[in-house]
Amino acid sequence: MKLKSIFIVSIPLLSIVLAYIFIYGPNKKNIVKDNLDVLKEYQNKEVKIDLNKTHNFIENKINHEDNKEKLESEKIINDILNGKFKDDPKNLAPLFSLPNQFGELIHLNDFKGNLLLIDFWASWCIPCRNENLKMVELYKKYKNKGVNFLSVSLDGEKHQKNPRSDWTDAIFKDGLVWNNVSELKGWQSEVVKKYNFNKIPMTVLVDKNGFIIANNIFDQELESEIKKHINER
């Protein structure tokens, strides 16, 4: 718009210059030069104003984006420090396929379409065995409400003489009637690296589309999260 306005202003100025040339004859060269200088100065001034405004706009835009990225970075850092990945759509649950106690491969994708509670545990972990009792109660309440359960065991540590027996015996004693899987490699299991945790028990709640919606939550907090995602209050 400003360049257009300069062009419009330039037409009458140019008409004045030509009139001066016709009237003053011998002095026409100097008059033309003076008026062209005025026009040039006017045009330069307009362009300079535009550049200043453009610079300020770009600077404000950059500052806004920097602040936005800073806030996002701070949120990510806080999530990492708190061990939470709550409500972050970027956290697609890492896929894995592990054998159950009967040697059949169970794939994470098998549970897509339903809410899935993954519980990482081991037969030698006393807190895990205590949590198993609570998991059994949750299973009874929500097994028919679109919630699937998957227990992933980290049995297979060096101190275990017969990790398979330890694992299967614990499944039976604790009443874990849902899907159970394990590589029997202890902390060397691939799921440890994929889900990036260093303590058990550990829970991960995965929505029907395969995204992690919460992790490392237990008791009332876990049940509240389950209710929220099956539209039950």
Side-chain angles (χ1 to χ4, degrees):
M1 290 297 292
K2 288 194 178 290
L3 290 176
K4 184 178 179 182
S5 65
I6 290 170
F7 180 72
I8 293 170
V9 171
S10 300
I11 292 174
L13 283 175
L14 186 58
S15 301
I16 295 170
V17 171
L18 293 175
Y20 275 130
I21 293 171
F22 179 78
I23 296 170
Y24 292 101
N27 297 324
K28 63 183 178 183
K29 191 178 290 185
N30 291 334
I31 293 169
V32 170
K33 182 179 181 300
D34 291 344
N35 283 280
L36 287 176
D37 286 343
V38 170
L39 178 59
K40 184 178 179 181
E41 183 181 350
Y42 178 79
Q43 290 174 322
N44 288 338
K45 184 178 179 182
E46 290 295 316
V47 173
K48 185 176 180 181
I49 292 171
D50 283 348
L51 289 175
N52 283 335
K53 288 184 177 180
T54 303
H55 172 76
N56 290 337
F57 172 79
I58 294 171
E59 193 175 54
N60 290 335
K61 185 72 175 175
I62 291 171
N63 289 337
H64 173 74
E65 293 299 325
D66 286 345
N67 290 334
K68 184 179 178 182
E69 288 182 8
K70 185 178 178 182
L71 290 173
E72 289 177 354
S73 299
E74 287 175 352
K75 182 182 181 300
I76 291 170
I77 291 169
N78 287 333
D79 286 345
I80 292 171
L81 291 175
N82 294 326
K84 300 284 181 77
F85 299 89
K86 215 168 184 179
D87 297 327
D88 188 348
K90 296 178 182 177
N91 283 298
L92 187 65
L95 298 178
F96 60 83
S97 299
L98 294 175
N100 63 14
Q101 65 268 45
F102 309 111
E104 302 166 335
L105 269 183
I106 304 297
H107 310 279
L108 188 70
N109 271 340
D110 294 343
F111 304 96
K112 210 163 186 179
N114 290 294
L115 193 65
L116 173 65
L117 175 58
I118 306 175
D119 177 38
F120 296 97
W121 72 294
S123 65
W124 46 261
C125 169
I126 302 303
C128 299
R129 302 296 294 273
N130 292 333
E131 281 299 321
N132 280 347
L133 301 176
K134 300 174 185 177
M135 287 293 169
V136 169
E137 294 305 313
L138 278 177
Y139 176 78
K140 289 177 181 177
K141 288 177 71 172
Y142 298 103
K143 66 178 180 178
N144 296 321
K145 296 182 179 180
V147 183
N148 289 330
F149 289 69
L150 177 64
S151 288
V152 182
S153 169
L154 297 189
D155 280 290
E157 287 292 278
K158 291 180 180 179
H159 64 82
Q160 293 181 272
K161 293 181 180 180
N162 195 335
R164 175 169 289 279
S165 293
D166 293 344
W167 174 42
T168 55
D169 287 349
I171 290 173
F172 177 75
K173 289 177 182 177
D174 294 354
L176 311 184
V177 296
W178 52 85
N179 285 285
N180 289 268
V181 295
S182 181
E183 287 184 282
L184 296 175
K185 292 182 179 180
W187 286 103
Q188 301 307 310
S189 176
E190 65 168 289
V191 293
V192 174
K193 292 179 181 178
K194 286 187 174 183
Y195 283 80
N196 191 28
F197 62 95
N198 56 15
K199 65 182 182 65
I200 50 176
M202 170 72 173
T203 59
V204 176
L205 197 60
V206 181
D207 72 9
K208 63 181 181 179
N209 297 312
F211 289 95
I212 295 174
I213 50 180
N215 73 353
N216 199 27
I217 57 175
F218 301 91
D219 303 322
Q220 188 58 47
E221 185 181 5
L222 174 56
E223 186 165 6
S224 295
E225 199 69 28
I226 289 173
K227 287 180 178 180
K228 182 168 73 176
H229 289 278
I230 60 172
N231 297 319
E232 182 178 303
R233 299 299 176 190

